[in-house]
Amino acid sequence: MTDRGYDIGLIAGDGIGPEIVGATVRVLCEVERAFSFELRMRPIDAGAATFLRTGRSISDEGLEVVVGSDATLKGPVGLPDARHADGTEAGLLGGELRNRLDLYANLRPIRRLPGVAAPLASADIDYLIVRENTEGLYASRGRGVGNDWVVTDTLLVTRPGTERIVRRAFEEARRRGGAPADGKSRVTCVDKANVLRSMYFFRQIFLEVAAGYPDVEAEFLHADAAAQALVLDPSHFDVLVMENLLGDILSDLGGATVGGIAGCPSGNIGEDCAYFEPIHGSAPGIAGTNTANPRGQMLAAAMMLDYLGETAAAGAVRDVVDGAFSDGSVETLPDGRVVGGADAVAERVVRRLAAGRPMER
Ligand code: IPM
Ligand code: MG
């Protein structure tokens, strides 16, 4: 019997998006059955193809579906031809969803991915990047000013924006089990406080907020040193909090250390609204070649289930996805693509879920 139901916005995305989102929905259908809840999917037309067709990346009605749903699952978006007049990419949705809906916390877990040949295979890696999602240098998106001689973008750091993202990082640290190296709960503030006044301000606010969490270790690191440490000493890290652009860059670096960003999920979370997506792009060049890797998308769905409170289902999805990639039945190529593509992975994952059905209630 189904006793719990959720409205889920669904954005298939561009490029490989429909392949990996479709495969993930197949998995979610099996999860619904195994865990006795209902996911009412509400498809939303959005992304770069939508932009090319309509001049907007998402309609007001589409935004309303995201706002009115319990959570939204989003595929990667973007197409080479979709451009704004200022030369930047159009149809990406970050401005619409992250900024307009004030989804200020971008949570990007980086952990070892069983079954993938990773450059840092021997290291115990399990940390969370908390990327500020509405300010920083990205606040300048669409607002850069200049002419054909000079252009400037402005990096924005506000007190309330920084307080809430730093608090979120410490709350996440309290929920986790500590850094792999020593088991200590720790939040690392990553900045360039040595060079930029805005980042020095970010660090000062970090220290103020940290004082309210004496049970969690607080430290800071300049972003360049952090890039090195994430490669040489990743087990030291538990939670890292940082400005928007730094979070964009260091999450791809972190993803590389565990075998590539194809397997990395993320959640964009506000006070009462959230969407979940892989951190990689839409890879239009490989769309339709049956090689798209749905791992990051499937793990994003697991994060969404956690957010909905369906933690047993979330854990099961992570387990079966990890299992399908490590029992030799899914072959990952060195560039992150998979043999057989998203559908082949979905089939293996669904079979594992159906075979186990361990959590039948
Ligand atoms: C990400 C992506 C986006 C970003 C792009 C698609 C605009 O790289 O979510 O990390 O830069 O934030
Ligand atoms: Mg990125």
Side-chain angles (χ1 to χ4, degrees):
M1 259 302 286
T2 297
D3 49 6
R4 303 184 306 291
Y6 307 96
D7 291 326
I8 304 296
L10 190 67
I11 297 175
D14 303 302
I16 60 169
E19 297 168 40
I20 60 178
V21 170
T24 302
V25 169
R26 276 179 67 186
V27 171
L28 288 175
C29 287
E30 188 59 33
V31 170
E32 283 179 290
R33 270 193 291 277
F35 290 87
S36 308
F37 57 78
E38 190 190 0
L39 299 173
R40 294 179 291 266
M41 296 296 180
R42 308 166 83 193
I44 303 164
D45 186 16
T50 310
F51 176 86
L52 291 173
R53 214 175 52 248
T54 68
R56 286 191 61 187
S57 56
I58 185 168
S59 64
D60 289 340
E61 298 77 57
L63 276 174
E64 272 165 33
V65 176
V66 176
V67 173
S69 297
D70 293 301
T72 291
L73 184 68
K74 173 188 165 293
V77 293
L79 291 172
D81 291 343
R83 297 276 155 193
H84 290 297
D86 68 2
T88 59
E89 260 191 274
L92 292 182
L93 289 173
E96 295 281 4
L97 297 181
R98 295 175 184 171
N99 286 81
R100 273 181 68 177
L101 305 184
D102 202 26
L103 309 182
Y104 64 91
N106 192 328
L107 306 186
R108 303 190 150 199
I110 304 289
R111 65 171 177 100
R112 258 180 10 87
L113 295 171
V116 176
L120 299 186
S122 59
D124 201 358
I125 300 179
D126 186 355
Y127 56 82
L128 177 70
I129 290 182
V130 178
R131 169 184 176 186
E132 202 293 318
N133 218 22
T134 54
E135 306 190 340
L137 200 49
Y138 276 53
S140 193
R141 190 194 283 231
R143 297 197 183 88
V145 290
N147 50 39
D148 64 358
W149 201 247
V150 57
V151 176
T152 68
D153 283 303
T154 304
L155 196 161
L156 175 80
V157 174
T158 71
R159 171 171 285 280
T162 308
E163 282 175 355
R164 67 181 180 176
I165 195 66
V166 173
R167 266 200 306 272
R168 181 70 196 228
F170 278 94
E171 295 296 334
E172 291 294 328
R174 278 188 173 164
R175 269 195 283 276
R176 293 166 49 88
D182 55 11
K184 282 199 181 142
S185 292
R186 171 178 298 124
V187 179
T188 308
C189 174
V190 176
D191 58 48
K192 282 295 286 183
N194 52 339
V195 177
L196 296 175
R197 183 175 169 187
S198 55
M199 298 259 185
Y200 180 77
F201 184 51
F202 189 97
R203 184 183 284 200
Q204 295 314 299
I205 294 169
F206 170 82
L207 288 170
E208 288 172 27
V209 173
Y213 294 85
D215 50 316
V216 180
E217 195 177 292
E219 62 173 16
F220 28 79
L221 207 52
H222 295 141
D224 46 354
Q228 170 172 260
L230 287 172
V231 173
L232 296 184
D233 190 19
S235 317
H236 168 78
F237 296 100
D238 179 16
V239 175
L240 303 96
V241 64
M242 63 197 77
E243 178 273 340
N244 210 331
L245 177 69
L246 295 181
D248 180 46
I249 297 169
L250 291 180
S251 54
D252 271 29
L253 183 145
T257 64
V258 296
I261 57 175
C264 298
S266 68
N268 298 265
I269 302 174
E271 289 310 333
D272 197 24
C273 182
Y275 75 91
F276 298 82
E277 62 181 347
I279 73 170
H280 62 72
S282 59
I286 64 160
T289 62
N290 262 342
T291 56
N293 185 339
R295 193 171 191 169
Q297 188 76 56
M298 289 177 180
L299 294 177
M303 282 184 83
M304 181 180 81
L305 292 170
D306 262 333
Y307 173 81
L308 293 171
E310 296 292 346
T311 50
V317 170
R318 273 188 280 272
D319 283 353
V320 290
V321 170
D322 282 354
F325 276 86
S326 28
D327 69 2
S329 62
V330 173
E331 192 190 338
T332 312
L333 302 171
D335 63 4
R337 293 177 302 146
V338 292
V339 177
D343 270 338
V345 178
E347 203 160 307
R348 310 281 171 11
V349 170
V350 165
R351 203 179 307 150
R352 277 182 163 261
L353 269 173
R357 292 211 168 200
M359 307 79 184
E360 190 107 50
R361 293 174 196 206

